Structure formats: structure tokens, C-alpha cells
């Protein structure tokens, strides 16, 4: 499967991606994860992206396309991929279309997770992430066994810099202004599938029906 996951921050794209990769071995490619790793390693890319990410704004299209051109050409992508957090703007979607055309590939589906905004805000404000392995927790619905310590790897669990209330509200605004127009873009391309909610099994069933 070659799939784009669309939906606001906190819609559950990462969680759904894990369910779908488990189904057919496609790889999950998260531009947010790639950027966070670059920030943690202090690479040139990380230095360029850090302040922008902290404020909840978008990293430049050129920088993102540079990352994705390299990533999509790697061998593991041959099985299929789930793009999580990319594309995020119309210019990125157009550049992706050109790139895939050159590679002789095309997308199977753009899967939109439709979640009410109040659910998103609550979810992001209560979400916590392991600094080492990236496991996701929630202080209300999925706390770790020992406060502040990851059940999986023993790493520290923190609130991401861009999940403070101010950054969350900015990310949602950036989403509605710059990313939501992709829903129309992919509808026009005949690729859009919208699913209400973020239950992994329901999403997988909807996708299987669509791709039959
Ligand atoms: P995410 O984990 O997908 O919510 O991404 C975290 C942050 O990384 C975003 O708020 C942006 O600052 C940056 N980012 C991730 N993906 C992209 C993208 N495709 N285009 C621009 N910025 C991005």
C-alpha cells in the first residue's frame, strides 16, 4: 500500500500507521519523527528545524522535499509506505506527485481521519512521549506503570515542546490554513477516503474495502 495519512495533529495518524504497517509490512514514514531525531542529534537539519517546530509552525517545503526525495528512494519503500505528517501543504503535495511520477509510482489512497477538534485538543494536552523510543502515553487514558518512566524502554516520558497549550493551538491553526486544503486536493485526484474516528481496526477494514 502507498498511503497518505491526513488529519490534524493528535488525530491518531501515528497509531493508525502502526496498525497498517503490521497488516502488510509497509513502512511508516513520519517527517515529524525524522525531524525530531535530527534535533536530538543536533545535525544541521535539526538546527534549522528546531525553533520552527517548537513554535508549532511548518518547516520549509524545500527542506521537507529534500528529506522525502531521499527517503522514498530507499529499498524498504518498495513494499509500500504510509506517509504520516507529509505532505502538509499544497506545494508539498504537488512536488510529491511529480516525484512519484518520475519514479513510476502512484498513491493508492489518501486516508483522512476525521476527529472533532475538542477531542484533539484534550488528547494533545494530555499526551506524553518517551524521549528514547517514542512510545506514546496519555496521563488520563494510558498512563505508564511508573510515573515519568517508559514501560517499554525505561526512558524518560515528557510532554513534547510543541504540545504546550500555546503551541497546540498554533498547530491546529496551521493545520486548518495550510494542510486541510489537501483534503480537496486528494478528493479531486480521486484518492480521498474519509474515516470518522481513529479506531485502528475500523480504519483497516475501511481501507481494505476501498482497495479491493
Ligand atoms: P508531527 O509529529 O507530524 O506533528 O510534526 C511535528 C512538527 O514537525 C510539525 O509541527 C512541523 O513543525 C514539523 N513537520 C513535520 N512534518 C512536516 C511537513 N511535512 N512539512 C513541514 N513541517 C513539518
Amino acid at each position: 500500500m502507498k498511503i497518505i495519512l491526513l488529519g490534524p495533529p493528535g488525530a491518531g495518524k501515528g497509531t493508525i500507521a502502526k496498525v497498517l504497517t503490521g497488516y502488510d509490512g509497509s513502512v511508516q514514514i513520519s517527517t515529524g519523527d525524522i525531524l525530531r531525531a535530527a534535533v536530538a542529534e543536533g545535525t544541521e537539519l535539526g538546527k534549522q528545524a528546531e525553533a520552527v517546530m517548537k513554535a508549532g509552525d511548518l518547516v520549509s517545503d524545500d527542506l521537507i522535499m529534500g528529506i522525502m526525495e531521499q527517503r522514498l528512494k530507499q529499498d524498504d519503500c518498495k513494499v509500500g509506505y504510509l506517509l504520516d505528517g507529509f505532505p502538509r501543504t499544497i506545494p508539498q503535495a504537488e512536488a510529491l506527485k511529480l516525484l512519484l511520477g518520475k519514479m513510476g509510482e502512484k498513491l493508492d489512497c489518501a486516508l483522512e481521519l476525521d476527529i472533532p477538534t475538542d477531542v484533539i485538543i484534550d488528547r494533545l494536552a494530555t499526551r506524553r512521549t518517551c524521549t528514547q523510543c517514542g512510545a506514546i502515553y496519555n496521563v488520563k487514558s494510558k498512563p505508564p506503570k511508573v510515573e515519568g518512566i517508559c514501560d517499554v524502554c525505561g526512558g524518560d516520558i515528557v510532554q513534547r515542546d510543541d504540545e504546550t497549550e500555546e503551541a497546540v493551538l498554533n498547530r491546529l491553526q496551521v493545520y486548518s490554513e495550510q494542510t486541510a486544503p489537501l483534503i480537496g486536493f486528494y478528493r479531486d485526484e480521486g484518492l480521498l477516503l474519509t474515516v470518522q474516528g481513529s479506531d485502528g481496526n475500523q480504519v483497516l477494514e475501511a481501507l481494505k474495502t476501498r482497495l479491493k
Side-chain angles (χ1 to χ4, degrees):
M1 294 190 282
K2 295 190 172 71
I3 290 174
I4 288 177
L5 292 170
L6 284 175
K13 298 188 292 296
T15 311
I16 295 294
K18 290 200 170 61
V19 174
L20 300 182
T21 53
Y23 169 66
D24 78 342
S26 301
V27 286
Q28 175 189 5
I29 302 178
S30 155
T31 38
D33 285 350
I34 294 172
L35 292 167
R36 276 185 289 278
V39 171
E41 285 164 24
T43 63
E44 195 46 45
L45 168 68
K47 283 182 199 142
Q48 287 183 51
E50 189 168 12
V52 178
M53 290 174 74
K54 192 165 179 176
D57 290 324
L58 292 186
V59 174
S60 79
D61 291 336
D62 287 349
L63 208 65
I64 294 290
M65 287 317 300
I67 297 173
M68 289 307 289
E69 262 200 70
Q70 282 187 16
R71 184 64 189 89
L72 289 171
K73 287 178 180 159
Q74 287 173 15
D75 276 351
D76 59 349
C77 291
K78 293 205 173 91
V79 191
Y81 41 75
L82 295 137
L83 304 184
D84 164 10
F86 169 86
R88 217 66 165 225
T89 63
I90 294 281
Q92 289 180 20
E94 282 169 344
L96 175 66
K97 193 176 165 186
L98 271 178
L99 175 65
L100 293 180
K102 275 193 223 152
M103 294 168 67
E105 291 181 8
K106 59 181 186 3
L107 296 168
D108 293 308
C109 180
L111 176 65
E112 179 205 1
L113 302 177
D114 186 15
I115 317 281
T117 307
D118 53 336
V119 174
I120 296 282
I121 293 177
D122 185 57
R123 209 183 261 179
L124 286 178
T126 51
R127 184 155 85 169
R128 300 291 181 269
T129 308
C130 172
T131 50
Q132 275 189 46
C133 73
I136 305 282
Y137 295 87
N138 183 291
V139 289
K140 287 190 198 161
S141 61
K142 193 192 164 200
K145 291 194 187 92
V146 181
E147 203 186 321
I149 306 290
C150 179
D151 294 348
V152 182
C153 74
D156 290 336
I157 296 172
V158 298
Q159 182 170 37
R160 268 168 46 178
D161 283 347
D162 64 355
E163 285 176 353
T164 60
E165 196 181 337
E166 196 187 352
V168 164
L169 293 177
N170 188 37
R171 282 166 73 201
L172 289 173
Q173 180 154 1
V174 168
Y175 175 79
S176 70
E177 287 170 5
Q178 300 201 55
T179 308
L182 293 181
I183 295 168
F185 179 94
Y186 286 113
R187 185 181 294 119
D188 292 347
E189 297 272 310
L191 290 172
L192 187 70
L193 170 66
T194 301
V195 182
Q196 316 291 328
S198 51
D199 178 90
N201 291 325
Q202 269 178 18
V203 173
L204 181 58
E205 286 314 310
L207 197 58
K208 283 202 250 176
T209 309
R210 163 71 183 237
L211 298 181
K212 252 185 209 156

